Amino acid sequence: MSEQTQERGTSTPRRVVVVGAGMAGVQTAVALREQGFTGSVTLIGAEPHQPYDRPPLSKAVLLGTAEGSAFDVDFEALGIELRLGREVLGVRPAEHELATAEGPVPYDVLVLATGAEPIRLPGAESVPGVHLLRTLDDAERLRPVLARQHDIVVVGAGWIGAEFATAAREAGCAVTVVEAADRPLAGALPAEVAAPMAAWYADAGATLRTHARVRSVEPGAVLLDDGSRLPADAVVVGIGARPATAWLAGSGIELGSHGEVVADDRLCTSAPDVYAVGDCASFPSGRYGERLLVHHWDNALQGPRTVAANILGGATGEPPAVYDPVPYFWSEQFGRFVQYAGHHASADTTLWRGDPTGPSWTVCWLREGRLVALLAVGRPRDLAQGRRLIEAGTPMDPTVLADPARPLRAATA
């Protein structure tokens, strides 16, 4: 540890440097101040823009109903130094030093919050009219495409593909979504749960083509493996994201099988005085008995509080804070509000509440009689009650649970 980190309970200022100015990085900096940290806090971001929230990019910013989504944070008043438009090249943990394009940056405590970056479609990187949707600049490039009501092909029927297709249809564009799997959200949900969502595309006037692999992209068209040629004034690629950690190569910081930073249950990394939080890090879940890599907004909101508590606890001798959340995310697509809480991989029972062909329904996953996850479509009360039940590990009555007319909390055994 650094000399400053070892000095517990003193007034010696410490330097915390946070790499990444998205939700996880900003919230870490803010949480440090909220929890009483008085040392220096530096927030380094690769983009030149004032730090902003990402969810509005696929809706309000894209459709032009909002100019941006900057965080409502007074960084100057909080004493948080912003270094924006800065490229971080590497880290030398033994020296407690970051390498940046502008020179070395020393730290006493480092927080990795670089998030995830979109996976690009091989061979399409240099083709005109091919877009990603991850940054504010991406959204601003796509806004005039929607305004001109172009024919658009979306590659990938995951969460971001569905959200973009929703916005494009609202803008009056002709939309075709191509998905290599047999259903939308194939990587996120079981087949029987994702299957009803396929009809949402047609209901919104979009075309969904499954079992459709892209062979190549050329100006004005997408060519599929089956020989189909889809006209495309623009192509939007939404085939997933990977942790933005390539810059850590050679640092000695342990990375996992998906390229993510391997953190422990306190969000500490394998390097001393280095934490990792948000989309770039996995953590062990005692609740679910496996390591989780969660690429969702709520994880980037909740994790920073644990990081801040442990940074301060390291100086005061407080017991470590453990991070073991119930994962949560939401998506607005095709006129429906979709929410998910928990982690269903280890479930042994699946129960439905309501008709999946209707406007509102819920799927509940149980393990040994206890709720471990649920997906709620248009039923926010189910989500709110279910999330609390998952956290509590309460035994459930399956018969009551399957009755959509009964509140979830009434199903406790």
Side-chain angles (χ1 to χ4, degrees):
M1 287 188 172
S2 64
E3 180 181 349
Q4 290 89 340
T5 306
Q6 289 175 323
E7 292 179 356
R8 298 173 181 269
T10 76
S11 59
T12 303
R14 293 184 298 150
R15 298 163 295 186
V16 176
V17 175
V18 182
V19 182
M23 171 62 79
V26 167
Q27 290 302 319
T28 298
V30 170
L32 282 165
R33 293 303 189 217
E34 289 178 344
Q35 295 182 29
F37 181 73
T38 58
S40 70
V41 178
T42 300
L43 186 63
I44 300 177
E47 295 182 56
H49 309 290
Q50 191 75 1
Y52 61 88
D53 202 7
R54 294 190 189 280
L57 298 183
S58 62
K59 185 72 172 179
V61 175
L62 193 60
L63 291 174
T65 57
E67 287 304 312
S69 56
F71 291 112
D72 185 17
V73 175
D74 190 335
F75 294 99
E76 184 176 358
L78 290 172
I80 298 169
E81 179 190 4
L82 292 181
R83 298 189 187 181
L84 303 177
R86 301 292 184 92
E87 183 182 4
V88 178
L89 305 175
V91 58
R92 294 181 284 271
E95 288 79 27
H96 280 63
E97 189 175 78
L98 280 174
T100 79
E102 289 75 24
V105 176
Y107 66 83
D108 294 311
V109 177
L110 176 66
V111 181
L112 309 177
T114 47
E117 55 193 7
I119 297 172
R120 299 177 181 273
L121 189 64
E125 294 89 340
S126 61
V127 179
V130 176
H131 300 265
L132 300 168
L133 181 52
R134 182 73 181 182
T135 68
L136 180 60
D137 289 341
D138 292 336
E140 290 180 345
R141 281 190 288 267
L142 276 164
R143 189 188 297 180
V145 173
L146 268 60
R148 291 193 291 268
Q149 297 185 335
H150 279 176
D151 290 347
I152 296 175
V153 172
V154 180
V155 182
W159 298 112
I160 191 65
E163 290 180 3
F164 176 81
T166 298
R169 285 299 300 139
E170 287 186 25
C173 300
V175 178
T176 300
V177 181
V178 297
E179 168 59 51
D182 62 347
R183 63 188 187 276
L185 296 168
L189 297 173
E192 68 272 17
V193 177
M197 299 176 176
W200 299 356
Y201 289 78
D203 291 347
T207 299
L208 172 65
R209 294 189 58 166
T210 57
H211 299 287
R213 293 187 175 275
V214 175
R215 176 185 297 170
S216 63
V217 179
E218 60 185 38
V222 173
L223 306 181
L224 303 181
D225 267 358
D226 65 1
S228 301
R229 186 178 187 275
L230 306 178
D233 297 313
V235 178
V236 176
V237 179
I239 55 176
R242 60 169 62 94
T245 57
W247 66 281
L248 293 172
S251 68
I253 294 174
E254 183 183 357
L255 301 181
S257 59
H258 299 283
E260 85 282 8
V261 180
V262 174
D264 66 13
D265 60 2
R266 296 170 295 150
L267 299 180
C268 298
T269 74
S270 61
D273 300 323
V274 181
Y275 295 80
V277 65
D279 291 6
C280 72
S282 66
F283 57 90
S285 171
R287 186 190 311 277
Y288 292 106
E290 61 181 283
R291 179 167 287 276
L292 300 182
L293 175 59
V294 181
H295 282 187
H296 292 297
W297 185 90
D298 192 66
N299 180 51
L301 176 67
Q302 303 295 340
R305 298 168 189 168
T306 298
V307 170
N310 285 326
I311 290 173
L312 273 78
T316 62
E318 293 293 322
V322 171
Y323 190 59
D324 194 7
V326 173
Y328 166 73
F329 71 88
W330 80 95
S331 176
E332 294 181 78
Q333 50 185 269
F334 307 117
R336 294 165 174 84
F337 187 42
V338 183
Q339 296 172 282
Y340 178 96
H343 182 65
H344 64 266
S346 64
D348 54 37
T349 304
T350 303
L351 293 176
W352 293 76
R353 288 168 55 81
D355 181 359
T357 65
S360 61
W361 44 275
T362 296
V363 179
C364 299
W365 288 274
L366 294 88
R367 184 181 66 223
E368 297 177 354
R370 289 173 167 79
L371 193 65
V372 294
L374 80 161
L375 175 83
V377 177
R379 293 180 66 97
R381 184 173 298 178
D382 275 5
L383 190 287
Q385 294 180 13
R387 194 175 183 182
R388 289 193 290 269
L389 292 168
I390 295 170
E391 289 172 346
T394 308
M396 308 296 293
D397 181 333
T399 302
V400 178
L401 189 65
D403 183 353
R406 304 281 298 276
L408 269 175
R409 63 172 177 266
T412 56

